[in-house]
Amino acid sequence: MFTPLHRPAAFVVAGAAATAIFAGSGAPSPIYPLYQQLWHFSPSTLTLIFAVYVFALLLALLTVGSLSDHIGRRPVAVSGLLLLAVSMALFIDAHGTGGLMAARIVQGLATGATMGAISALIVDRQATPRTGSVVTSSAPVAGIALGSAFAGALVQWAPAPRLLVYWVLLIAYVALALLLVRIPDAPRAADAGRPSVWRTLRPSVGVPAALRATFLAAVPMLCATWALGGLYLSLGSSVVARILGVQNHFVAGLVVATNFAAGAVGAALVSKLPQHRREVLGFLTLGGGLALTIAAVLVESLPLYVVGAAIGGLGFGSSFLLILSGFAVRTEPEHRSQVFSATYIVSYVAFSIPAVVAGFASQSFGLRPTVLVYAAVVLALVPLAAGLARRTHLAGVGAERTVTVDAGPVPVAACSCDVAPSTD
């Protein structure tokens, strides 16, 4: 019925799907102020809207996150994209906070269900270890940057600013689902010794025993990188508007997107560097970006804040690439979705819980003190993360191996994110 896509085209479609998922996660952020003006709800309600999204996403990761390891990548990825299209329709039809929460819950469930399958599909179809790990590490940050900037432009200048971006995404998700139907699933290992599908659906999280030491060593780095993203996205819009004085929605969206666009660039650039330089660059830029952000908030400097966001984004992208490439060279194909889902769980917890806490704290203690404390805590994680990464040789230099996937041998190598609302 459908002509199968060849490996290069399948890889491109999978990468585009991953980027689109994260673009949808980032799109509501510039629209939140319009919702507040229209429906007159409090900043705490806005924080709750973000929290229900994260809860639904984590629930999906804990239950169906590794399902594609059992039934195949394609059915999980296609179903997830169609459910994302349904969530866009709910955004379009929302007429109050109840409708907005319903849309966010469905979007969170769909995103969590799709993350592991799409990432595993990218690795299954990669041509080289470098291309697979670059795409899986840059898709989250590139998608969030694209979604935030695009939605900000529509809010500022386009008609129907609350609706148009959701129509665009709905069409994109349906189109990508139709393309994914044309990607044949890679052969899976025999099911002997594996838990049944129904056991897999019970809430759980874990990684293969051989990877546990490496995974635990990567947790501080995952927390530092994703908490950094949470800083810019949970409080970034409020910082830009209330501390730095930017009122244009598009400009504000670009400033917030700078961190994530730089992350995508960083992942692509550092993949060509020698391993020891990649580690040094990642941690120096991660810490340097945070330090500059703290300075920018203290002196109320927009240019310094943009520079700090860009440098921090480079650290985000390069550090995340370091983690994913280390996991990929140590993970067998039948465990890829499980490992990616566990990675996303840690990432989203680090991204969301501090963001929610910061949203409430900013109402009680003020925006500036909250931002400074948040940034200082994340900055303190960087030396710990760097030490553990170097001690365990996280990236697994020289550990590449080859597996047979579909039509030929493919070297193994090898990720998702929502924008926390501003409480402005």
Side-chain angles (χ1 to χ4, degrees):
M1 182 176 179
F2 292 100
T3 304
L5 292 177
H6 296 297
R7 182 184 297 280
F11 180 79
V12 171
V13 170
T19 304
I21 291 170
F22 301 121
S25 294
S29 185
I31 310 175
Y32 284 129
L34 296 183
Y35 290 134
Q36 283 186 289
Q37 293 174 14
L38 182 64
W39 297 326
H40 309 290
F41 55 82
S42 67
S44 59
T45 300
L46 192 56
T47 302
L48 181 61
I49 292 170
F50 170 65
V52 297
Y53 169 90
V54 174
F55 178 80
L57 186 149
L58 291 174
L59 179 63
L61 283 172
L62 287 167
T63 53
V64 299
S66 61
L67 187 61
S68 76
D69 287 336
H70 294 263
I71 67 173
R73 319 295 188 205
R74 182 173 60 186
V76 176
V78 171
S79 300
L81 284 169
L82 293 177
L83 190 57
L84 279 168
V86 171
S87 73
M88 295 301 106
L90 291 175
F91 275 116
I92 293 168
D93 190 55
H95 297 293
T97 55
L100 196 56
M101 286 188 183
R104 293 299 272 165
I105 290 171
V106 174
Q107 187 186 28
L109 290 171
T111 302
T114 313
M115 281 178 177
I118 289 290
S119 296
L121 183 60
I122 291 171
V123 176
D124 288 347
R125 302 294 163 177
Q126 66 188 356
T128 68
R130 191 178 73 83
T131 56
S133 57
V134 167
V135 171
T136 52
S137 59
S138 62
V141 286
I144 292 170
L146 177 64
S148 298
F150 181 59
L154 295 183
V155 169
Q156 187 65 36
W157 295 304
R162 287 192 301 113
L163 305 177
L164 187 56
V165 67
Y166 300 127
W167 278 112
V168 172
L169 286 167
L170 188 155
I171 294 169
Y173 290 141
V174 173
L176 286 166
L178 292 175
L179 288 172
L180 283 172
V181 170
R182 298 175 57 190
I183 300 178
D185 261 322
R188 297 188 302 281
D191 290 334
R194 283 214 234 157
S196 67
V197 171
W198 297 112
R199 282 190 61 191
T200 300
L201 295 178
R202 294 188 305 187
S204 63
V205 59
V207 294
L211 189 67
R212 285 173 191 165
T214 302
F215 189 90
L216 289 174
V219 167
M221 193 191 307
L222 283 171
C223 291
T225 52
W226 284 92
L228 171 66
L231 169 64
Y232 290 117
L233 287 173
S234 64
L235 299 177
S237 297
S238 295
V239 170
V240 169
R242 292 162 52 186
I243 296 179
L244 305 179
V246 176
Q247 301 302 320
N248 183 288
H249 291 290
F250 178 62
V251 173
L254 282 180
V255 173
V256 173
T258 296
N259 175 260
F260 295 92
V265 172
L269 291 179
V270 303
S271 65
K272 300 179 180 180
L273 295 178
Q275 180 56 36
H276 67 282
R277 292 184 181 178
R278 189 186 305 178
E279 290 182 359
V280 171
L281 179 64
F283 290 115
L284 284 179
T285 51
L286 196 66
L290 280 163
L292 288 175
T293 298
I294 292 172
V297 172
L298 287 172
V299 302
E300 299 183 9
S301 170
L302 177 61
L304 189 59
Y305 186 84
V306 172
V307 171
I311 293 176
L314 289 174
F316 185 118
S318 56
S319 299
F320 200 42
L321 174 66
L322 184 71
I323 294 169
L324 292 184
S325 60
F327 288 172
V329 297
R330 291 175 167 90
T331 305
E332 299 294 340
E334 62 268 24
H335 295 301
R336 283 177 185 158
S337 185
Q338 176 192 19
V339 171
F340 288 137
S341 294
T343 303
Y344 298 144
I345 288 169
V346 175
S347 300
Y348 258 85
V349 168
F351 176 86
S352 59
I353 291 180
V356 171
V357 172
F360 286 108
S362 65
Q363 299 175 52
S364 300
F365 303 104
L367 178 61
R368 191 193 306 267
T370 301
V371 172
L372 294 176
V373 171
Y374 191 139
V377 171
V378 178
L379 184 58
L381 276 176
V382 174
L384 173 62
L388 286 174
R390 294 186 65 83
R391 184 177 179 181
T392 56
H393 304 289
L394 182 59
V397 180
E400 290 182 6
R401 58 188 186 279
T402 300
V403 295
T404 300
V405 180
D406 196 26
V410 183
V412 178
C415 181
S416 166
C417 181
D418 171 55
V419 177
S422 163
T423 55
D424 186 20

